[in-house]
Amino acid sequence: MKNATLVQTVTYDLTSKKRLRVGAATPVLNSADSLQNMTLVAEANTPGEARILLNRKASGLLDSSKNKLLLLGEAYAVHDILPFLDIHYRNPRNALDARLAVVKGEALPLIQLRSKSESNVSRYLLNLIQSAEESLLIPKEDIQAIASVIMDPGEDVTLPYIELESSSQLASVKGIALFDKRKYTGFYLNDTQSPLLLLLKGGKPRQNSFSFNFGSPKEEFPQRQIVSFLITKSNRKLKLTVDEHKQIHVALHLKLVLRVIEYPNGDVEADKDKLLREYKAYFTKLTGEVIHQLQRANCDAFGIGRMLMAYHPDVWRGLDKEQYFRQVKFSPNIVIDKIKSGIEH
Amino acid sequence: MCNSTTMDSVHLEHHLNAIFKHAEDFTIETLQGPQCNILIAYFDTLADKKKLHRYVMEALMPVVAEQQNIAISSTLHFKIIQKVDNLQELLLTGSCLIQIEGEHPIYAVDVSIESPRTVEEPENEKVIQGSHEGFVEELRRNVYLIRKTLKTKDLVVKYMKIGDDVQSELCFIYMPQRAEQQVIEEMEQRILNATTSGLRSIGDLEQLIEDSPRSPFPQMLNTERVDRVIALLKQGKVIIFVEGSPACLIAPVHFNDFMRASDDYNSRWMSSMFISGLRWLSIIVAIFLPAFYIAVVAFHFEVLPDELVMPIKTSINEIPFPPLIEAFIMELTIELIREAGLRLPARIGATVSIVGGLVIGDAIVKAGLISTTMIIVVAITAIAAFCIPTHEMSETVRLLRFPFMLLAACLGFVGMSFGIILIWGHLCKLESFGSPYFMIITFEDVKKQVQAFLFGKADPSPRQTKWQRIQQQISAKGWNFLGRKKR
Amino acid sequence: MVVKKDNIHKNQIVYMVIQAQVGVGILSLPYNIAKYANQDSWISTLVAGVIMLLVILIMWLLCKSYPGMMMFDIFKQLTGNKLGKCLIIGYTIYFMLQSSYVLSKYGKIIEGWILERTPHWIVLSLMVLTSAYIVKDSLQSMIRFFMLVTPLLIVLIALSSYALRNANFLYILPVAQNGWMPIFKGSREAIFSMLGCDLVFFLYPYVRASHTQILKSVIRAHLMVTLLYTYLVFISLVYFMSPNDIKRVPEPFIYMIKSYSFRVIERMDLFFISIWIVSVATSFMYLLLLSAKGLAHLFAAPKHVTFLPVICLLTLITSLWLLDSDKLNVVNNYLTVCHYLFQAIIPALLLFISIVRKKTGDKREEQ
């Protein structure tokens, strides 16, 4: 353990010459103050080669057993990501619960930033991602989980999408990156659409806050009509049916229980019916956006293909495995069960 | 030699002087009187002068003076000796021999000094709640201590002797209805067949009669506490006492018996279970913690969670030694401190413990020789080893730590696995006088525990039926057991 | 002569069978079966369990007809002295081959997952020496060890069950999509991990229980192991997708457990492997014991201890050679044939012979 240089975060970028640039963030021990980290960069054709080059630059033996984060640059992710992840699966010492994320632009600057809240950038990024997972903004995916999903012809993987704000030297989670089989499609869901996707996939809500404006712009204070609320309970049912024309219908029923956290107008109970209607419209619109985006990206995040394989294997056999998702007809149905108004009326 | 009936006093004197020619404390006195002389032989160092005066001199004075015949039947202390072989033994156990000149019968009176140690709690086996009595060095007094608590006619007490040159007296105690006949016979056989020139202590006896003297684990329990011995007697164990040792040997024992302290009998069910569990945890910690730490740091540090990796890495970064050497240095130092603490007189003891703690603990870390985490590990291990109630098992555990550390340093977790397999295999082989040593828990034990939980503590006399037992519980606790109200 | 210490109590039979059956194959079992049966592998294990019952029955009937005789003596009785001795030699070599294979497999997994740089002979000889130490004394010590070690299986099950959190039950469906032939092919693989019942049957005269009690205990233990295997295969099937995913992981369990991370401790697969070593040791022990007893019978020696060094050395050398020359698959093929021969065909033949003999014996008596 003494001679090991621990790699905590690895970034993969594609250079203009189609070579792989690999960055590794390693902690540097300073007994005086807290941990700093040092970034090692190497350019090679594959991660294995890059590792050999990095080993020459590092002071100890490179050890990736504590590598908990893999950052994929956008340019790299639009090509097939699986082959270069092979080294992470083959090494017995690797941690298979490493998180993955797609970074807008280049991934390398992300590990070179100097964060003010934590001196160890790997810790900072990992905490960022884990707290986003906690608030149900992004799905909880590690390398082991996505391996099964990527190889599944009937399901596609979704990864967190991060951006570096170079002005403030902060990284922020922008949403969910949509993959089609093994490639990043370039499409992503923003931060209002992402929680909804996760709720539609059956996740349990974690105090996700939303706010929307249902007032018309003609009013004097349009801001007064913004209401912020949380989703406290969510119940999803997905029904897959195939009709005679081999057309796949998916009915998505989502039942939500909301709690209002801010309502400038004051009286929640009085406006309850109006709020119910507005919420339902809002969510239905949002769901439509999500599904539209998914189908544009051809990203089967729901696993429709897997369900077809399980329940309608003959239908599945006759399908076009590449484009089947685009032909699925979704009928979302969002029902707001209750609106809780909090301790105030 | 010749029979006593044919030996007269002159011959007796010569005979005894010949046997004890090197013993200057052997005294032969002659009470000279007008009618006859009486020869008294005794060991000066073994005889109580007061008793000698009271029982012998005063009793004999009238005989010497007025030539009254010694009315043996009225003098209860006097005993007639039949065989000459007994003379030596009687003298050595503190009797004095009396013979009237001209007559043949030899009398013996027990005038031995009695100054037993007071009954106090043994140093190693203190408890918070419970009896504070411990055994003493005299055999007969120990048997007295048992009999005074266990007033039952079903107690077998057998005396035996062991040793060729120097004989030691043994005492066998058991309850015949509860102890197994097979075990008793086996023990007697082993004692009779044991050849030794003389026992130094009860530890020698243990090594002579136990099943596997080469095993690191003790196979006979060693205790000085009276209440523990009595509880074990009731469970059907056999006790051996040796003259001169306050500890007694108990067989057959299981591994579990070494982990029981008297506290368990006196505390409530839940707290005693918790404390028992803690003791088992302490045995695991004492054997495996240093090895686990070495395996993790040297081989498998990915086992540590992320937040822990960096602090531990920082603490071991500047240390010049590999973890195994570090561990050995610290463990040996702790053993040295412990051993020194035993030998130190009380006044210096406090000072040295401060030195040990501060210097070794603090300064060695500041000097950068040992990492802080290693100190923590070693300290916890040392404390855990002392949690074990029996001294012998505690020593075994401390000893077993070292091979595990070596195995872990060579092969990591795999080495530890094999160490565990070896130890368990060895424990499975061990037998204590025919019964397996390491059956920690059997299905019958679990059934008994469940029954005890549901129907109350079971120490039933075997004659009670289950229905009678339930009735007893109802009347004792007034439970609404069967739906009938208790009036 | 049956020494007191060698008696086997009827409660111990269950543990013997369980520990003998659960061994080195448990790690790669789902992978081996899924190569043929894909998502129906869990049915394969059930089918294999049922087929094994037949084998158990045959052996039991054989032992029942000759109570008080060890299996080796039964060979001699039924086939004459010379052929019987050949059979004993055959069985001994078969057990030794099996134990070498077990040892090599174990060495390969340890080398692949934990100790990459340790030389093979250290890892293998450690296993051989510890097993020999436990086997060299009476039967009771080995059986008590088996009893002691059985609760560790519960830890194994608990660790594996954690995977159900990330399970996708759709991977199992649809059931029997490709028909029954793949399932049977998969059962073949599963049977090889269930071969442990012969321990009881080869030590039949030492068991202090009636015939029906023995049969009941063996069947009970066997059913438990079958259910255990089915459960474990099921867990890997819902965790890994087949056919693509599960075919890339030769040891699915370690993979599964590797991805857990708890707050206090990570990399649970290291603990899993450490516990698994104990299971391997128990299977290896029983194979050592049976080979030693075979040799002891051959040379009419009272104790099997005298042959242990020879057997240990031979096994060690064979497995080292197998590991270094990477011939495991070849040996596996040979072993497959041997399994069929020694576990099914020969006992069936012998049973047949004994029935025929009994009938002719009856006829002769009638005359």
Side-chain angles (χ1 to χ4, degrees), chain A residues 99-315:
Chain A
R99 304 273 200 270
L100 286 152
V102 179
V103 182
K104 181 174 168 125
E106 281 212 353
L108 195 59
L110 212 57
I111 53 174
Q112 288 169 330
L113 62 84
R114 301 217 147 278
S115 149
K116 293 185 201 72
S117 62
E118 262 191 72
S119 45
N120 187 344
V121 73
S122 315
R123 204 87 280 260
Y124 164 65
L125 289 171
L126 204 60
N127 279 344
L128 184 74
I129 292 188
Q130 279 174 338
S131 46
E133 280 171 13
E134 288 291 314
S135 19
L136 209 66
L137 191 57
I138 49 176
K140 187 161 190 263
E141 300 277 5
D142 51 58
I143 309 188
Q144 177 55 30
I146 69 159
S148 305
V149 179
I150 287 185
M151 295 208 190
D152 192 349
E155 200 170 348
D156 287 319
V157 75
T158 51
L159 291 180
Y161 189 63
I162 306 185
E163 181 181 19
L164 171 68
E165 290 166 27
S166 43
S167 50
S168 53
Q169 288 287 305
L170 283 176
S172 68
V173 177
K174 281 203 81 167
I176 297 183
L178 301 173
F179 275 69
D180 176 19
K181 298 260 179 332
R182 302 176 178 190
K183 302 192 183 138
Y184 173 49
T185 51
F187 295 112
Y188 68 94
L189 297 174
N190 63 26
D191 48 0
T192 38
Q193 296 162 336
S194 314
L196 193 60
L197 175 66
L198 295 174
L199 287 173
L200 286 170
K201 279 175 77 161
K204 289 290 158 213
R206 305 270 181 84
Q207 315 281 309
N208 298 97
S209 304
F210 291 80
S211 64
F212 77 91
N213 185 348
F214 61 84
S216 48
K218 286 181 286 203
E219 295 184 16
E220 187 190 343
F221 279 110
Q223 298 94 309
R224 287 258 183 92
Q225 307 300 319
I226 296 180
V227 56
S228 309
F229 54 90
L230 295 173
I231 303 182
T232 45
K233 279 208 195 117
S234 127
N235 207 336
R236 164 209 95 142
K237 282 204 183 56
L238 193 144
K239 263 185 93 170
L240 178 70
T241 43
V242 182
D243 65 14
E244 319 82 58
H245 306 289
K246 303 280 173 82
Q247 176 61 45
I248 310 168
H249 293 273
V250 174
L252 279 170
H253 299 278
L254 191 64
K255 226 195 288 192
L256 296 173
V257 171
L258 308 174
R259 181 152 66 93
V260 174
I261 33 179
E262 183 192 37
Y263 188 46
N265 249 6
D267 205 338
V268 173
E269 294 295 327
D271 295 338
K272 215 175 201 170
D273 291 325
K274 178 165 128 192
L275 283 174
L276 278 172
R277 264 184 295 125
E278 297 286 347
Y279 284 154
K280 191 175 154 92
Y282 171 69
F283 274 114
T284 315
K285 178 160 145 286
L286 203 58
T287 314
E289 280 175 26
V290 168
I291 294 178
H292 175 69
Q293 193 79 327
L294 283 176
Q295 286 189 311
R296 235 171 78 187
N298 198 18
C299 170
D300 185 359
F302 295 109
I304 305 287
R306 174 50 55 180
M307 282 187 240
L308 283 173
M309 272 196 264
Y311 297 120
H312 305 273
D314 21 324
V315 177

Side-chain angles (χ1 to χ4, degrees), chain B residues 110-121:
Chain B
D110 183 16
V111 292
S112 54
I113 298 182
E114 271 181 37
S115 54
R117 185 160 63 91
T118 44
V119 170
E120 55 191 13
E121 190 167 26

Side-chain angles (χ1 to χ4, degrees), chain B residues 215-219 255 258 283 286-287 385 388 390-404 423 426-427 430 437:
Chain B
S215 160
F217 290 95
Q219 289 132 65
F255 194 81
F258 289 97
I283 225 188
I287 301 186
I388 299 170
T390 358
H391 182 63
E392 284 187 319
M393 188 57 88
S394 168
E395 287 187 337
T396 308
V397 157
R398 275 204 296 275
L399 194 65
L400 280 180
R401 223 189 291 164
F402 293 97
F404 267 97
I423 294 276
H426 177 74
L427 281 172
L430 277 182
Y437 186 73

Side-chain angles (χ1 to χ4, degrees), chain B residues 121-122 125 127 129-134 225-228 262 266:
Chain B
E121 190 167 26
E125 298 176 64
V127 290
Q129 245 188 324
S131 127
H132 299 286
E133 280 186 337
R225 294 191 57 90
V226 180
D227 56 354
R228 202 151 168 217
S262 305
N266 297 324

Side-chain angles (χ1 to χ4, degrees), chain A residues 1-6 8 27-31 35 63 65-68 92-94 97 120 123 126 130, chain B residues 296-310 312-314 316-323:
Chain A
M1 189 180 178
K2 281 197 288 189
N3 309 329
T5 303
L6 297 173
Q8 287 185 318
V28 160
L29 303 167
N30 255 335
S31 44
L35 302 167
D63 192 305
S65 50
K66 284 295 172 194
N67 179 10
K68 288 300 176 70
R93 291 174 67 100
N94 266 358
D97 58 343
N120 187 344
R123 204 87 280 260
L126 204 60
Q130 279 174 338
Chain B
V296 165
V297 165
F299 278 85
H300 307 291
F301 61 87
E302 25 329 333
V303 172
L304 299 167
D306 294 329
E307 296 91 353
L308 211 51
V309 174
M310 293 321 293
I312 295 193
K313 195 162 168 11
T314 347
I316 67 165
N317 214 27
E318 306 292 324
I319 310 297
F321 307 118

